[in-house]
């Protein structure tokens, strides 16, 4: 990410769900504001939606407020998410706040970004809106000779867009044009890889991996049995098929559930682990062609209840686990 930023790129993090993409970009944006307060004045996190248009990102005309109920409201240009990161609307003071767009590919990019394509390529652009009879301008620093006027928004060289994209959604949601993609550096955030097999070396490595995460997660204190059971579920999920992994954030959710679901010292671990699988992994498999294969691998974990998984898989995901396949 540092190399991409120094190269002048905007950044998109891609990867499976739960790998910490949003957490990473939030920390980077916070670090930039803390380390370079003379450049950055903060950041803004937003989530893309299918309804986005240039009105949401760039801005558009909105009726102005009036104290006279009988008066006709005037229309005035109201900046959108991006422009609001470049200038304080109330004071008119220029700002420099990187914008973080979560789940970017949920938006129709061409419809949502419009004139911003030109801006992202490092060129100034005029918008089809006016303020005080002057066309709204987005200016690079190279095209600014004096202090910006009220109708001008300056785009600092250091301003960036950070975005995240869940690779599981890329085939079912809006696709990005090559013109848009070439303005970004795509950085992959993969899920951890596990040693195949179930020998002592593989089990030791899995335990070490799980302990490292548990130590980093405040407030979690699972038993060894709980840790090992969820670790095996994670391993079987990620090794079932290629490119269908889940990240550690979902594992944290399952561990939190399993530990908070305890009812007594002798309660059924299998019941709790199975409930966690259904609650947190099954929703990630909706529409996945290989979901039956993934569930079959999970059902092979000793600490799961096959009958419950079979029933839930049929109800929620419309797949049937065969006894012969499980064995």
């Amino acid at each position: 990410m540092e190399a991409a930023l120094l190269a002048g790129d905007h950044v998109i993090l891609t990867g499976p769900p739960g790998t910490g993409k949003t957490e990473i970009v939030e920390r980077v944006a916070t670090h930039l504001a803390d380390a370079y307060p003379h450049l950055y004045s903060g950041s803004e996190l937003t989530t893309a939606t299918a309804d986005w248009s240039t009105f949401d990102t760039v801005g558009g005309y909105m009726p102005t407020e009036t104290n006279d109920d009988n008066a006709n409201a005037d229309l005035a240009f109201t900046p959108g998410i991006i422009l609001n990161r470049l200038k304080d609307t109330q004071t008119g003071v220029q700002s420099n706040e990187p914008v973080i767009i979560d789940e970017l590919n949920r938006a129709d990019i061409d419809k949502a970004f419009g004139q911003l394509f030109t801006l992202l390529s490092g060129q100034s652009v005029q918008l089809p809106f006016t303020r005080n009879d002057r066309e709204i301008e987005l200016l690079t620093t190279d095209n600014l000779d004096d202090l910006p006027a009220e109708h001008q928004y300056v785009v600092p060289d250091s301003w960036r867009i950070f975005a995240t994209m869940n690779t599981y959604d890329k085939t079912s949601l809006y696709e990005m044009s090559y013109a848009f993609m070439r303005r970004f550096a795509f950085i992959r955030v993969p899920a951890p890889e596990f040693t195949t097999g179930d020998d002592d070396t593989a089990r030791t490595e899995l335990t070490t991996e799980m302990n490292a995460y548990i130590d980093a997660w405040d407030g979690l204190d699972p038993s060894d049995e709980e840790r090992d059971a969820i670790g095996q579920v994670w391993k079987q999920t990620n090794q079932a098929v290629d490119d269908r992994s889940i990240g550690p954030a979902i594992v944290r959710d399952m561990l939190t559930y399993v530990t908070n679901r305890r009812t007594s010292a002798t309660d059924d671990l299998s019941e709790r682990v199975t409930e966690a699988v259904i609650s947190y992994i099954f929703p990630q498999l909706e529409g996945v062609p290989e979901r039956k294969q993934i569930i079959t691998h999970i059902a092979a974990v000793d600490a799961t209840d096959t009958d419950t998984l079979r029933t839930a898989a049929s109800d929620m995901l419309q797949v049937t686990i065969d006894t012969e396949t499980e064995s």
Side-chain angles (χ1 to χ4, degrees):
M1 287 189 71
E2 182 178 7
L5 294 174
L6 291 174
D9 296 326
H10 302 279
V11 174
I12 293 178
L13 296 191
T14 69
T19 51
K21 300 180 291 296
T22 305
E23 177 78 11
I24 291 171
V25 293
E26 284 191 287
R27 290 193 181 201
V28 169
T30 299
H31 169 75
L32 290 176
D34 292 342
Y36 307 100
H38 58 290
L39 288 179
Y40 298 100
S41 49
S43 62
E44 181 72 15
L45 171 65
T46 186
T47 302
T49 71
D51 297 327
W52 264 16
S53 68
T54 53
F55 184 87
D56 300 281
T57 58
V58 177
Y61 289 123
M62 285 281 289
T64 57
E65 294 183 0
T66 176
N67 294 325
D68 187 351
D69 294 337
N70 297 320
N72 293 323
D74 294 327
L75 294 178
F77 175 75
T78 301
I81 295 167
I82 301 298
L83 269 61
N84 275 325
R85 310 282 71 78
L86 304 174
K87 179 188 287 190
D88 188 307
T89 304
Q90 302 298 322
T91 64
V93 175
Q94 296 294 311
S95 58
N96 182 10
E97 298 180 358
V99 61
I100 302 169
I101 305 177
D102 208 18
E103 305 290 352
L104 176 64
N105 53 326
R106 292 187 178 277
D108 184 333
I109 300 299
D110 291 338
K111 181 179 74 172
F113 279 78
Q115 300 92 343
L116 291 177
F117 279 102
T118 304
L119 176 67
L120 294 178
S121 65
Q123 302 177 51
S124 298
V125 61
Q126 286 188 327
L127 303 181
F129 307 105
T130 62
R131 177 179 289 160
N132 296 332
D133 298 324
R134 302 290 300 276
E135 288 185 324
I136 302 294
E137 294 179 312
L138 303 181
L139 301 177
T140 63
T141 54
D142 293 339
N143 292 320
L144 184 69
D145 298 325
D146 205 343
L147 292 176
E150 186 179 6
H151 67 285
Q152 295 175 322
Y153 290 80
V154 179
V155 185
D157 294 337
S158 55
W159 182 77
R160 295 290 185 272
I161 292 178
F162 296 101
T164 70
M165 187 172 71
N166 184 345
T167 50
Y168 279 20
D169 293 335
K170 67 181 179 181
T171 57
S172 59
L173 303 178
Y174 291 105
E175 296 182 353
M176 299 179 186
S177 66
Y178 288 108
F180 184 82
M181 289 192 292
R182 70 181 179 85
R183 290 160 168 78
F184 287 81
F186 283 72
I187 299 176
R188 181 171 173 262
V189 185
E193 296 183 0
F194 300 105
T195 301
T196 58
D198 195 32
D199 56 17
D200 290 341
T201 299
R203 285 192 293 270
T204 299
E205 289 186 4
L206 179 59
T207 299
T208 301
E209 185 87 13
M210 290 293 293
N211 284 337
Y213 280 106
I214 292 169
D215 289 343
W217 292 329
D218 294 334
L220 265 182
D221 186 24
S223 66
D224 291 347
E225 291 77 12
E226 291 166 339
R227 176 203 63 203
D228 293 343
I230 295 300
Q232 286 296 328
V233 167
W234 190 14
K235 180 177 179 178
Q236 291 298 328
T237 301
N238 286 11
Q239 291 185 346
V241 296
D242 292 335
D243 300 323
R244 278 294 169 184
S245 301
I246 60 171
I250 295 173
V251 176
R252 178 179 59 184
D253 292 339
M254 288 193 292
L255 274 175
T256 302
Y257 179 90
V258 167
T259 54
N260 282 285
R261 182 69 170 80
R262 297 173 187 155
T263 56
S264 68
T266 59
D267 68 357
D268 189 353
L269 175 62
S270 175
E271 179 180 358
R272 292 183 284 131
V273 171
T274 303
E275 289 173 354
V277 169
I278 294 170
S279 296
Y280 298 103
I281 294 182
F282 274 27
Q284 301 295 333
L285 303 180
E286 183 69 39
V288 176
E290 306 92 343
R291 58 191 181 277
K292 178 177 178 178
Q293 184 176 347
I294 297 172
I295 297 169
T296 301
H297 272 70
I298 295 173
V301 176
D302 291 338
T304 60
D305 186 313
T306 302
D307 290 336
T308 303
L309 287 178
R310 180 188 294 111
T311 302
S314 177
D315 290 345
M316 298 173 62
L317 300 171
Q318 294 75 54
V319 296
T320 302
I321 302 176
D322 301 323
T323 304
E324 295 181 359
T325 304
E326 294 162 8
S327 61

